[in-house]
Amino acid sequence: VKDSVITPLGLHAGHNNDELDSTRRASIYRYRNGQYVESNAYGSVAHQLDDYIMGYSAPIFSPTGGVKISAHDLATYMMMHMNYGELNGVRIISEESARTMQTPVWMKQEPEEDQYGLCLWEFVDFIDDEKYNVPGNYPIGHEGDAQGLRSIMIWSPADNWGIVAMTNGYVYNKDKDFPQTIANAIYKAGIKTQPQYPIDNYRLDLALFHNGKCLDIEVDGERYHRSWNGELCYRDQLRNRKPPKKCIL
């Protein structure tokens, strides 16, 4: 996964916490006994690698859902799937594999069930628009739920829009409808963003377009901005003195 998908897409993500930059982590909290406590989302598995057996020990990395990734990078991954395995002219996985992943192999039988493909599913009766609640027009994606984090990645093959959202301190019984609620709120608001949008000599982390105007949303993180020095921060200071045309910083 790292060599075939994560690295070619330029993502800061992975299954092994020990290989990731710890300064870029967001603290994840669980709700326990009436209070929020930090979860062990970034525990080390180094002590288990000496006895690692290929094909048997993979669960220590939670390969089916244990990737640590930012919302920005998850959106990049989503766009690769929206383009059936390709992004910015680079083929990451074959179109055949991408379409196979998005094709259900388990059809919805009960209201609470999913219409599942290979790691991706169709969202049936999810978006509050009848257009997306008919066969052949269902949005596709996946939800996440682990260590107090709740997330959603959902896109429409029919109309080429996509949404990624995450929340922290997730409480199951109270917040279980968060993915559907936030996805519908963003969809109804008509918010459209484009990651790494090129403008002048810069690339905006997220460019949000509305009524012909562009808003630049930078997602470098708290640790990045806490120490206002260094080359990357200096570049941001220069950029902010002369904002790119047609864009609000």
Side-chain angles (χ1 to χ4, degrees):
V1 173
K2 179 180 178 180
D3 293 340
S4 299
V5 178
I6 292 175
T7 298
L9 283 174
L11 309 180
H12 179 74
H15 291 86
N16 188 349
N17 294 321
D18 299 317
E19 295 180 349
L20 301 175
D21 183 356
S22 62
T23 66
R24 300 180 63 176
R25 295 172 180 169
S27 297
I28 307 296
Y29 294 89
R30 291 179 179 272
Y31 190 74
R32 289 286 184 270
N33 300 320
Q35 61 182 350
Y36 292 98
V37 294
E38 190 165 356
S39 70
N40 188 32
Y42 305 109
S44 173
V45 296
H47 62 287
Q48 301 182 59
L49 296 183
D50 289 341
D51 299 321
Y52 191 92
I53 300 174
M54 188 66 69
Y56 179 80
S57 303
I60 67 173
F61 292 114
S62 184
T64 58
V67 171
K68 307 302 186 295
I69 191 169
S70 67
H72 178 278
D73 281 358
L74 184 57
T76 300
Y77 174 76
M78 176 183 69
M79 290 191 295
M80 180 272 291
H81 277 295
M82 292 174 70
N83 290 300
Y84 296 104
E86 184 176 315
L87 187 64
N88 297 327
V90 178
R91 173 64 60 185
I92 305 298
I93 62 176
S94 70
E95 181 176 345
E96 179 183 7
S97 294
R99 291 186 181 277
T100 298
M101 292 179 69
Q102 298 180 34
T103 301
V105 294
W106 173 261
M107 306 305 290
K108 188 180 181 78
Q109 307 291 324
E110 301 292 339
E112 297 300 318
E113 290 183 344
D114 303 310
Q115 201 143 290
Y116 229 106
L118 301 182
C119 295
L120 299 171
W121 69 64
E122 291 184 332
F123 287 88
V124 181
D125 298 327
F126 193 86
I127 296 295
D128 295 334
D129 186 332
E130 288 303 318
K131 176 180 181 180
Y132 301 113
N133 293 316
V134 294
N137 233 23
Y138 297 132
I140 296 173
H142 200 283
E143 294 182 13
D145 175 5
Q147 304 285 348
L149 177 137
R150 193 79 162 99
S151 63
I152 183 170
M153 170 185 75
I154 180 173
W155 72 89
S156 167
D159 293 326
N160 205 37
W161 55 258
I163 295 170
V164 165
M166 296 181 179
T167 188
N168 197 358
Y170 167 66
V171 183
Y172 181 78
N173 291 330
K174 179 182 177 182
D175 303 325
K176 64 179 180 180
D177 295 328
F178 164 80
Q180 186 171 9
T181 301
I182 192 67
N184 275 285
I186 294 173
Y187 170 73
K188 291 175 181 177
I191 296 174
K192 298 179 179 179
T193 62
Q194 182 173 336
Q196 295 300 300
Y197 181 75
I199 185 168
D200 290 348
N201 295 322
Y202 307 100
R203 284 188 175 271
L204 311 182
D205 282 355
L206 285 174
L208 189 155
F209 298 95
H210 183 68
N211 291 336
K213 295 182 179 180
C214 164
L215 174 66
D216 174 25
I217 303 173
E218 295 296 309
V219 289
D220 304 304
E222 177 189 4
R223 291 178 182 272
Y224 179 89
H225 290 293
R226 182 178 294 170
S227 178
W228 191 235
N229 53 42
E231 178 61 23
L232 292 177
C233 288
Y234 179 63
R235 286 187 216 166
D236 268 3
Q237 294 177 60
L238 293 178
R239 180 197 60 194
N240 293 349
R241 292 174 189 170
K242 185 180 179 182
K245 297 177 181 177
K246 298 181 181 180
C247 194
I248 302 171
L249 291 175

